[in-house]
Amino acid sequence: MTKPARVRVAPSPTGDPHVGTAYMALFNKAMADTTGGKFVLRIEDTDRARYVADSEAQIFEALAWLSLNPDEGPEGHGGPGGPFGPYRQSERLPLYKEAADRLVKEGKAYRCFCTSDRLDTLRKIQQAEKSKFIGYDGLCRGLSKEDVAANIAAGKPHVVRLKLRQDNEIQTSDLFRGQINFIGAEQQDPVLLKTDLFPTYHLAMAVDDHAMGITHVIRAEEWIPSLPIHFELYRAFGWDAPVFAHMPLLRNKDKSKISKRKNPTSLLWYRDAGFLPEALKNFLGLMGFSLPNDQEFFSYAEFLQHFELTKVNIGGPIFDLQKLHWLNGEYIRKLSDAELEARLVEYVQHLMHREREFADLPEDQLPQETFLRDFEQKRRRWSRTLGGLAPELMTSFEVNPALLKPIMPLIRERLHTLCEAADYLPMFFTNRFEYTREMFVPKKQTPEGAVAALKAARDIITAADFNDPTLKEQLDNEFRTKAEAMGQKIGPFLGPLRVALTGSTVSPPLVESAMVLGKEETLHRVENALKFLG
RNA sequence: GGCCCCGUCAUCUAACGGUUAGGAUACUGCCCUUUCAAGGCAGCGAUACGGGUUCGAAUCCCGUCGGGGUCACCA
């Protein structure tokens, strides 16, 4: 067993909680839990321009939904607090200022008075000249003490930049990839402290990770290019650097970094779409990691039993919603009737109380990839259906808590996501169907045959005793016998009855559904249909 | 474009330097079937390419190609 690791996930509250945050949270938490360490949540709210007020609360909620709660983190929203707080960077501003000042005093950083305009122009010129080096030219490095003092006296705004070594190789390392070297001269002096006295990511990360005793920085691969900054920062401060481990980036189907346009990225979306948190977590655990013996299903506890950070596969995995869809179906099938019912009730309540359609892109911005687009369109339709059904369902449910129980076995194996219940649930709560004549006439069936079959079915149901324990077998047999007598196949024979009872050509098993509806309601629906067919 | 990372079926992945390169999703076919599912069986399908090292390479080395990330007073 290795030493207890202190790890963290550090999202910035700039929008919907991101699936990548959950991915990092999972592996960080696993690292903490397998070493007896601590998993810290730090809110990186240093960009006041992109700050979104309720984002932090949603991050908490999303992590809680996935049971990826931090051991330490900001207080509020049920956050745990902890001995290394505050855990919001906006509440730690003096620390960064102090750290930056220290580096300036020691000559390891300097004040830069260059304007954004100058920087933009500089960059444009470099790009126009096809310069290999694109970035800050270090103009203010050479400013004398007097110049700096004069500029400050004149009230010129400034930033603090780290004086990066420009001569030799900057050696960095990554747990998975080993040593990674960068040429100092190819790096630009990064901004540490912004004009508004907020730190940039680099400064805040180094100061906080050091102050919070972080031992392993497990973060996304996109940070590798800033490794020289981070190593040089630690060196400038004279601190030991933590172990850096850069996880592969989750990808879109086209292998680019996962993005909202091409894939759902919001955890709220996954919840809205009816994915189970344990399925999503399992799926995320499959990204870049595998358990022995081809084990694909695992609880978090099982994940921990086999988790080893060094076993991570660093090839960037494509986030395949289709496989998640399958996996989620497997998880749903494992739920007991009572559990599935509870999940559905919770889910429907969630839909009912939510204030907006989360992650709702305009139609023309839906993902191009067929499966994703179809899935999102269905999701919206399902969502609307269930949303509309919700008040009625919840009321009936409160009146009769046993209501859903008999339905669960009929729909469980038909669901991949909870929202797909919209295909099967409404028929048990309403008989106002919008069917068409065509729906009553399946393939290998005629309009006359359909009416005849429906009437025959009505007679059989009328004669049936719904209290008889062998009702199902009886109805099965009688339908079959009658169909045969009428020269019809059982499928086309029952088609019209299916539409009459369920309002759809697709439904849970018919006889069982009729039994849930009861004799009176079943006959009522058949009569309605016959009336409709004239 | 510079720098950096990565490269096993379409996708997620397995394989002490020795396997007919395994499993799963998806897809296809058959079976089951009262629609839709679920389930069962089967099929399709990969070591990017070229050089080395080695008795032997998916595995080690080099090159090429391909993909990705990054080049902000965003994280």
Side-chain angles (χ1 to χ4, degrees), chain A residues 110 112 114 118-119 122 126 133-142 161 166 187-189:
Chain A
Y110 59 95
C112 168
C114 293
R118 179 178 118 73
L119 264 23
L122 179 65
Q126 288 167 337
F133 178 84
I134 294 177
Y136 183 59
D137 58 1
L139 181 72
C140 295
R141 258 197 183 216
R161 286 181 188 271
Q166 300 205 305
Q187 306 293 322
Q188 60 171 320
D189 291 342

Side-chain angles (χ1 to χ4, degrees), chain A residues 61-82:
Chain A
E61 196 183 330
L63 290 180
W65 178 62
L66 287 161
S67 302
L68 289 171
N69 305 70
D71 301 312
E72 296 175 20
E75 294 173 37
H77 311 300

Side-chain angles (χ1 to χ4, degrees), chain A residues 252-270:
Chain A
N252 298 315
K253 264 228 152 74
D254 64 3
K255 293 188 193 287
S256 57
K257 177 165 79 165
I258 195 166
S259 64
K260 195 174 171 179
R261 274 298 172 75
K262 299 175 179 173
N263 229 350
T265 56
S266 167
L267 292 171
L268 304 177
W269 185 91
Y270 288 92

Side-chain angles (χ1 to χ4, degrees), chain A residues 454-495:
Chain A
L454 196 51
K455 283 181 174 164
R458 175 192 57 189
D459 296 342
I460 290 170
I461 294 166
T462 307
D465 174 6
F466 268 52
N467 293 319
D468 189 321
T470 64
L471 176 64
K472 180 179 151 32
E473 290 71 24
Q474 278 183 37
L475 287 178
D476 279 343
N477 285 335
E478 290 184 39
F479 284 146
R480 214 173 283 276
T481 312
K482 187 68 187 172
E484 213 167 305
M486 291 172 68
Q488 294 192 8
K489 294 262 188 208
I490 186 71
F493 175 81
L494 287 176

Side-chain angles (χ1 to χ4, degrees), chain A residues 34-161:
Chain A
T34 49
T35 60
K38 294 287 184 209
F39 170 52
V40 178
L41 170 65
R42 189 170 67 220
I43 299 294
E44 309 229 327
D45 55 348
T46 56
D47 184 351
R48 65 263 176 278
R50 294 203 303 153
Y51 181 76
V52 176
D54 59 348
S55 183
E56 182 185 311
Q58 291 183 346
I59 289 167
F60 273 100
E61 196 183 330
L63 290 180
W65 178 62
L66 287 161
S67 302
L68 289 171
N69 305 70
D71 301 312
E72 296 175 20
E75 294 173 37
H77 311 300
F84 293 85
Y87 293 90
R88 262 177 222 104
Q89 291 186 326
S90 61
E91 294 168 8
R92 303 170 64 81
L93 261 23
L95 259 46
Y96 311 123
K97 171 90 168 52
E98 198 177 303
D101 284 346
R102 179 188 140 193
L103 291 185
V104 171
K105 192 176 295 169
E106 293 173 0
K108 293 165 178 167
Y110 59 95
R111 300 183 197 280
C112 168
F113 298 87
C114 293
T115 61
S116 300
D117 282 351
R118 179 178 118 73
L119 264 23
D120 288 344
T121 319
L122 179 65
R123 196 163 26 244
K124 276 183 193 129
I125 293 171
Q126 288 167 337
Q127 278 161 355
E129 289 174 346
K130 295 210 158 55
S131 164
K132 288 191 175 178
F133 178 84
I134 294 177
Y136 183 59
D137 58 1
L139 181 72
C140 295
R141 258 197 183 216
L143 248 36
S144 66
K145 275 205 173 89
E146 294 71 29
D147 292 336
V148 172
N151 279 332
I152 288 174
K156 283 194 187 175
H158 68 274
V159 301
V160 174
R161 286 181 188 271

Side-chain angles (χ1 to χ4, degrees), chain A residues 431-433 435 440 454 500 521-534:
Chain A
N431 55 19
R432 291 185 301 275
F433 300 135
Y435 37 54
F440 284 91
L454 196 51
E521 177 63 21
T522 300
L523 284 173
H524 179 61
R525 291 183 184 199
V526 173
E527 293 299 347
N528 275 352
L530 284 169
K531 214 173 292 168
F532 173 79
L533 291 169

